[in-house]
Amino acid sequence: MTTPAFRADGAQLGFLATWLVGAGRKPVGALGIDARAIDPHGEPAWISLALAPERMRVLFDDPGVCQAMRMVLAGSPVDVISTLVRDPSTIGGALTATHAPTPDALADDPFARIFPRTLLRIDGGFVGTMPTPAGPGVQRYAGAPWPWDHF
Amino acid sequence: MVEYLAHEQDSYQQGNAGCDGLPLRGRGTSSLSTQRPAPGDHLVDFELPDHHGNRRRLSELVGGDPAILQFYRGFWCPKDQAHFRGLVQLQDSVEVAYTRMISVSVDPPEVEAAFRAGVGARWTFLSDASRELQVQLGLLETTDTVHRPYIPTVLTLFPNLRIHSAYNGYWFWGRPTNAELAADLRAITRAIRADWDPPER
């Protein structure tokens, strides 16, 4: 699936694309995301896309990453939250989304404190609504993106 | 595992256990309920609003992990406040141990959200404001006619909602210590994880 992504002022920044692939078949350069975040019938959304720079390898076990997860669990719920998996041990960033008409709920994205983030507006048919993480777990299940919540 | 106490002790003793600070002498007390959750039982897969008001099913929250399910009186109870301080300490271990924690009270979601934030809990709280589950489980604390809270109770659960241990916290010392909870979670994890003994290759 592909969707154009816009800035708050309406200028198009590029596209977001997802593939549903089997384990170990992730396209080169793509990042893994919790499959529950993606929904071809989803409403239009604001996205906070926090991305680790290409040259930067940050472990999922980094205390800063763990603390960002704790802050997600402690804070107000959002419609979508998924870390992005670069490889089995490193994080590529995080995608947080709301279907609200304004991006206010994304103002304090904890992952924006550790990675540069871009605020995007997308049309319907891309991101869905996920259940709030049960908590208090901050460990991933067999290398899956957090908060994917089972082995 | 702790057997539930029969509430047939004299009212002076019950007065020490209650949490509202009101004299209990003369209040009606129920006989021991046979419906209360006990080790080996399979808990009903109930659905309640969480602290944000979203409907959540127990099995969804437990997922495939061991779980601690806590029923508490309310934010106003000093014994619950003390117990929660201990659970928040345990949370630092639970968060890395593929284990879930769930707390249930009769408070409305917004009250639970405030209490959760105040104690620093990062697990899910469920609101049984209608008290339907409380009745179903036989966990109404009949000696507190002001709040009609849950009898403080802690259950440790297998992923299929089978009860491993049940702790009756009507008296504070009936509540599990973090060490006892850790021992339960170790036993459950050992039973459900096929690779408890690390694979040789």
Side-chain angles (χ1 to χ4, degrees):
Chain A
M1 292 194 309
T2 304
T3 189
F6 304 92
R7 289 194 318 214
D9 63 8
Q12 184 172 347
L13 276 175
F15 292 87
L16 295 176
T18 60
W19 298 263
L20 186 60
V21 297
R25 296 179 54 224
K26 185 163 63 70
V28 175
L31 302 171
I33 189 171
D34 190 321
R36 299 172 300 174
I38 305 301
D39 182 356
H41 306 294
E43 298 290 315
W46 287 95
I47 290 176
S48 177
L49 187 62
L51 290 177
E54 192 71 26
R55 66 185 182 285
M56 183 187 293
R57 295 179 59 82
V58 179
L59 295 175
F60 262 101
D61 292 337
D62 185 279
V65 175
C66 293
Q67 185 60 22
M69 296 175 186
R70 294 187 188 105
M71 293 177 67
V72 168
L73 292 170
S76 298
V78 290
D79 292 320
V80 168
I81 170 65
S82 174
T83 55
L84 303 173
V85 175
R86 178 178 285 171
D87 62 42
S89 60
T90 61
I91 182 171
L95 184 148
T96 310
T98 176
H99 295 295
T102 69
D104 296 353
L106 306 178
D108 194 25
D109 175 2
F111 288 98
R113 301 184 183 189
I114 49 178
F115 301 125
R117 77 94 172 251
T118 306
L119 195 61
L120 304 171
R121 176 72 176 162
I122 63 166
D123 295 329
F126 195 79
V127 297
T129 301
M130 295 169 59
T132 307
V138 296
Q139 295 292 289
R140 294 173 305 135
Y141 288 76
W146 185 89
W148 181 253
D149 57 1
H150 57 82
F151 286 109
Chain B
M1 291 176 281
V2 177
E3 296 295 327
Y4 281 98
L5 289 172
H7 293 185
E8 294 165 354
Q9 299 153 347
D10 71 63
S11 58
Y12 175 77
Q13 287 179 313
Q14 290 187 17
N16 287 341
C19 208
D20 58 6
L22 299 175
L24 297 171
R25 190 178 299 277
R27 289 180 176 179
T29 56
S30 67
S31 59
L32 183 65
S33 168
T34 57
Q35 298 176 319
R36 290 181 189 156
D41 291 351
H42 278 82
L43 200 62
V44 60
D45 188 15
F46 58 81
E47 186 178 281
L48 290 172
D50 67 14
H51 55 280
H52 291 301
N54 304 301
R55 301 288 297 182
R56 307 300 291 270
R57 184 166 287 282
L58 179 63
S59 57
E60 168 216 340
L61 294 173
V62 169
D65 292 335
I68 299 168
L69 177 61
Q70 178 216 20
F71 299 91
Y72 69 101
R73 290 182 175 119
F75 71 91
W76 41 268
C77 177
K79 300 172 184 68
D80 280 350
Q81 294 163 14
H83 191 204
F84 266 99
R85 286 194 287 272
L87 290 174
V88 168
Q89 287 185 325
L90 182 66
Q91 172 180 239
D92 290 344
S93 299
V94 171
E95 72 172 10
V96 298
Y98 301 106
T99 304
R100 313 299 176 91
M101 299 171 71
I102 302 140
S103 293
V104 184
S105 78
V106 295
D107 286 336
E110 58 270 25
V111 173
E112 292 190 326
F115 185 44
R116 176 181 183 268
V119 299
R122 298 187 296 274
W123 63 88
T124 301
F125 284 42
L126 297 175
S127 169
D128 183 27
S130 70
R131 291 184 166 79
E132 292 177 16
L133 179 67
Q134 184 190 39
V135 170
Q136 186 177 355
L137 297 180
L139 291 177
L140 169 65
E141 186 169 287
T142 58
T143 51
D144 181 349
T145 56
V146 176
H147 301 98
R148 294 188 296 129
Y150 268 96
I151 297 170
T153 302
V154 177
L155 308 175
T156 49
L157 301 176
F158 288 89
N160 64 358
L161 308 187
R162 183 163 64 87
I163 298 170
H164 177 274
S165 298
Y167 298 88
N168 162 24
Y170 183 70
W171 285 80
F172 184 81
W173 293 122
R175 302 176 190 216
T177 64
N178 286 353
E180 287 171 321
L181 290 172
D184 287 356
L185 297 172
R186 177 186 297 133
I188 297 170
T189 302
R190 179 188 289 131
I192 66 171
R193 304 296 189 207
D195 57 351
W196 175 263
D197 294 316
E200 293 185 5
R201 43 182 310 178

